[in-house]
Amino acid sequence: MDFTVRYEPSPDEVARALDQGLTRQLRTLYVALPVALAGAGVACLLAGAVGLGVGLMVGAVAFPPALKWTARRMARRQLAYICVPTTLRVADDGYACVTDQSTTTVQWSMFTRIDGTPEFWLFFIGNQWSGFLPRRAFDGEQQAALDGLFAAREPAGRG
């Protein structure tokens, strides 16, 4: 496999990739912290500490959207560097991403996990989301080749 494509990610596309990547990265936190806050809130309400209990319950509801808002705010600072015309050269061993401002070469072996979604391939190093490739940048044949490459690298027992 060896092909080159040009595309320009949109701010909305980057925001969706970020949201999907962080949601997968922080899945446990998205569930565990609100559950813990709600449980503590119920305990406080039962103990008569109404103000604290209500505050904890509000925190349980507000935490997930607040986390997403914070991540998007941080990402907005990078949009000027990400949402530019980009050339991707994809090969069997990795890819190169070239813009007017930077050139990055990455080996597929660097990623411990690559999750395919209908819109993106999301890249993880350990449990940390580290980037994405948009499917729309590739034609159907190229998408199939990438899906096959990534499926072949999946660890045994993962599905």
Side-chain angles (χ1 to χ4, degrees):
M1 165 182 2
D2 190 351
F3 49 84
T4 301
V5 297
R6 268 189 76 69
Y7 81 107
E8 184 171 343
S10 71
D12 286 341
E13 182 176 49
V14 172
R16 287 190 308 275
L18 173 71
D19 183 48
Q20 291 177 32
L22 286 179
T23 297
R24 289 166 189 250
Q25 174 184 330
L26 302 173
R27 185 173 289 145
T28 302
L29 184 63
Y30 272 114
V31 174
L33 189 58
V35 167
L37 289 171
V42 168
C44 288
L45 290 172
L46 293 173
V50 175
L52 182 57
V54 168
L56 288 167
M57 297 296 276
V58 168
V61 172
F63 174 74
L67 185 62
K68 285 185 181 190
W69 177 82
T70 301
R72 283 181 184 228
R73 184 168 181 241
M74 291 179 351
R76 260 183 279 177
R77 296 178 189 151
Q78 302 299 320
L79 289 178
Y81 301 105
I82 297 171
C83 297
V84 295
T86 302
T87 301
L88 290 169
R89 182 169 180 263
V90 179
D92 289 329
D93 60 344
Y95 72 96
C97 179
V98 179
T99 71
D100 288 343
Q101 299 165 340
S102 69
T103 299
T104 305
T105 302
V106 181
Q107 301 296 308
W108 299 125
S109 60
M110 180 174 146
F111 302 116
T112 54
R113 190 173 102 218
I114 299 174
D115 289 355
T117 73
E119 192 173 11
F120 307 108
W121 289 283
L122 303 170
F123 303 132
F124 294 84
I125 299 172
N127 287 328
Q128 185 165 349
W129 178 70
S130 61
F132 72 99
L133 287 179
R135 285 183 179 271
R136 75 170 177 85
F138 303 93
D139 66 29
E141 186 176 308
Q142 293 166 337
Q143 287 182 30
L146 285 167
D147 282 333
L149 176 71
F150 299 151
R153 3 177 7 263
E154 265 190 24
R158 184 165 184 262

